[in-house]
Amino acid sequence: QLRLVESGGGLVQSGESLRLSCAASGFTLDYHEIGWFRQAPGKEREGVSCISASGGYTKYVEPVKGRFTISRDNDKGTVTLQMNSLSPEDTAVYYCAAVPPVEGTARVMCAMDMEQEYHYWGQGTQVTVSS
């Protein structure tokens, strides 16, 4: 079964940090564009950050710019989302998702505006930030 597995969520206080990790089960993350999404209670799921297959291109949604950093280690097959200066507005279930390569070729960039491009999803990890 091909799936992604997130880890690293938890309960922290405002201003603290968390590091989320995403790993693949049943396949490798090589050549896959990876995105992190989140869904807060009562809200639609939104893209947070993405990273290209090579790791050379990253993108962030405006509210997390300067606080979150996405990175990947293709040798280890993991993608990490470092989240600093967390606020209660960051409370959500965080999901990682993967865009597979097309005919063996991955895109140079990444995007978060078309969720249907992301074929593989994790089960989500809860991040709760108390004030």
Side-chain angles (χ1 to χ4, degrees):
Q1 183 178 5
L2 308 180
R3 60 190 182 100
L4 298 174
V5 180
E6 304 98 338
S7 61
L11 171 64
V12 296
Q13 293 187 334
S14 184
E16 295 186 338
S17 300
L18 277 175
R19 179 188 294 257
L20 304 183
S21 291
C22 175
S25 176
F27 69 107
T28 64
L29 291 181
D30 293 10
Y31 303 106
H32 287 73
E33 178 181 324
I34 302 298
W36 282 97
F37 296 79
R38 67 184 179 185
Q39 186 166 22
K43 295 186 178 180
E44 292 188 355
R45 188 163 59 191
E46 64 171 349
V48 175
S49 180
C50 66
I51 187 167
S52 63
S54 70
Y57 180 91
T58 59
K59 189 173 183 178
Y60 301 90
V61 68
E62 194 63 36
V64 309
K65 283 183 179 179
R67 300 188 297 121
F68 290 13
T69 302
I70 191 170
S71 61
R72 67 188 300 157
D73 185 333
N74 283 340
D75 289 337
K76 294 182 179 179
T78 58
V79 174
T80 298
L81 184 68
Q82 177 67 42
M83 307 186 296
N84 298 329
S85 301
L86 286 163
S87 72
E89 288 70 34
D90 296 313
T91 294
V93 177
Y94 284 71
Y95 301 88
C96 68
V99 178
V102 176
E103 297 182 348
T105 301
R107 294 188 298 198
V108 175
M109 297 186 293
C110 68
M112 298 175 284
D113 54 342
M114 296 181 68
E115 284 195 14
Q116 59 268 33
E117 294 184 323
Y118 287 83
H119 291 192
Y120 308 115
W121 289 80
Q123 79 289 350
T125 185
Q126 177 69 48
V127 171
T128 303
V129 186
S130 64
S131 58

